[in-house]
Amino acid sequence: MSMAYAYSDRRAAGRALARALESYRGRPGLAVLALPRGGVPVAYEVARALHAPLDVFAVRKLGVPGHEELAMGAVASGGIFVLDTRLAEMLGVQPAQIDRIKQRELDELHRRESAYRDTRPALQLQGKTVIVIDDGLATGSSMHAAVEALRQSAPARIIVAVPVGAAGTCERLRTLADDVLCVLSPAQFHAVGAHYVDFRQTSDEEVRELLQAAAADLQRWTAA
């Protein structure tokens, strides 16, 4: 593998991340959440190594009308809704507009969750130590929204863990999460994909297969 890359693919990155999280193995009340889709192969390896349940935590940002790249809030798994009311008011976004954007993103979030989970219920997170995983952090906007949304589920602790992230982003997230683990945070950071040999898009089918495999793993561990 070229020295220009840190990881051959997301599964290899997950194994490296799992080694860095080894101290959590076997802890009671542990849950691993993946930001779909790219975070799922990474998180699968972590959940398998730590003997922890795995679930997806889908987040859809609510873009400001006409400036969709600017997030004014988010919806997330479990019907969670967060809104920066100060920003929305400052930009003159009307409540009816917010409702329309919220419903559109909720519809897409529910579609994805249904495709990923089949009939399996979402993990209950109250009082749990939750490790939230993605394949990397660039701006960190999705992870930021995920952590804010997760707080509403009242977990005991939220740990953000990624194989690679921009140093500034990793530091900013420390003000939100209880702990942040970026295995690599290179000084020269251009894009998450630059640190992978294979960074092909993760498919819905791969997400489904990995969640099914994780559920089967969990059954074996609890039956042993």
Side-chain angles (χ1 to χ4, degrees), residues 36-38 40-41 56 60 108-109 111-118 120 200-212:
R37 290 175 291 200
V40 176
V56 288
R60 299 286 298 176
E108 176 60 17
L109 186 147
R111 183 198 70 77
R112 291 190 178 201
E113 286 195 317
S114 177
Y116 298 155
R117 273 208 194 97
D118 297 323
R120 289 185 302 278
R200 287 174 292 180
Q201 188 175 64
T202 304
S203 68
D204 285 349
E205 184 58 32
E206 185 178 358
V207 170
R208 284 193 294 270
E209 289 174 355
L210 289 172
L211 289 177
Q212 288 168 1

Side-chain angles (χ1 to χ4, degrees), residues 31 33 57 123-130 150 153-156:
L33 295 183
F57 192 77
L123 291 178
Q124 295 302 305
L125 303 175
Q126 185 174 1
K128 299 284 183 68
T129 295
V130 179
L150 272 171
S153 297

Side-chain angles (χ1 to χ4, degrees), residues 17-195:
L17 186 57
R19 290 191 291 273
L21 291 164
E22 175 64 27
S23 63
Y24 288 94
R25 180 181 168 124
R27 289 194 191 183
L30 185 66
V32 174
L33 295 183
L35 299 193
R37 290 175 291 200
V40 176
V42 181
Y44 172 74
E45 295 292 341
V46 172
R48 186 167 69 165
L50 302 186
H51 285 199
L54 172 67
D55 200 0
V56 288
F57 192 77
V59 177
R60 299 286 298 176
K61 287 176 284 186
L62 307 182
V64 173
H67 303 277
E68 279 71 19
E69 73 286 353
L70 176 60
M72 61 179 172
V75 292
S77 291
I80 293 169
F81 169 57
V82 292
L83 179 69
D84 185 337
T85 52
R86 184 176 168 186
L87 178 63
E89 289 172 2
M90 185 176 69
L91 296 176
V93 185
Q94 299 301 307
Q97 292 177 293
I98 293 170
D99 288 343
R100 283 195 299 273
I101 295 165
K102 176 185 173 184
Q103 191 57 55
R104 183 184 69 220
E105 297 302 338
L106 274 173
D107 289 345
E108 176 60 17
L109 186 147
H110 291 150
R111 183 198 70 77
R112 291 190 178 201
E113 286 195 317
S114 177
Y116 298 155
R117 273 208 194 97
D118 297 323
T119 59
R120 289 185 302 278
L123 291 178
Q124 295 302 305
L125 303 175
Q126 185 174 1
K128 299 284 183 68
T129 295
V130 179
I131 302 176
V132 195
I133 293 173
D134 205 353
D135 52 16
L137 295 172
T139 66
S141 56
S142 291
M143 185 63 79
H144 184 127
V147 172
E148 286 198 339
L150 272 171
R151 288 290 180 204
Q152 298 191 31
S153 297
R157 296 187 76 217
I158 298 174
I159 296 135
V160 170
V162 293
V164 62
T169 301
C170 294
E171 283 304 311
R172 282 193 298 275
L173 281 166
R174 293 184 200 283
T175 65
L176 292 176
D178 297 295
D179 197 6
V180 176
L181 173 62
C182 294
V183 177
L184 298 174
S185 50
Q188 297 297 319
F189 185 94
H190 302 292
V192 171
H195 301 275

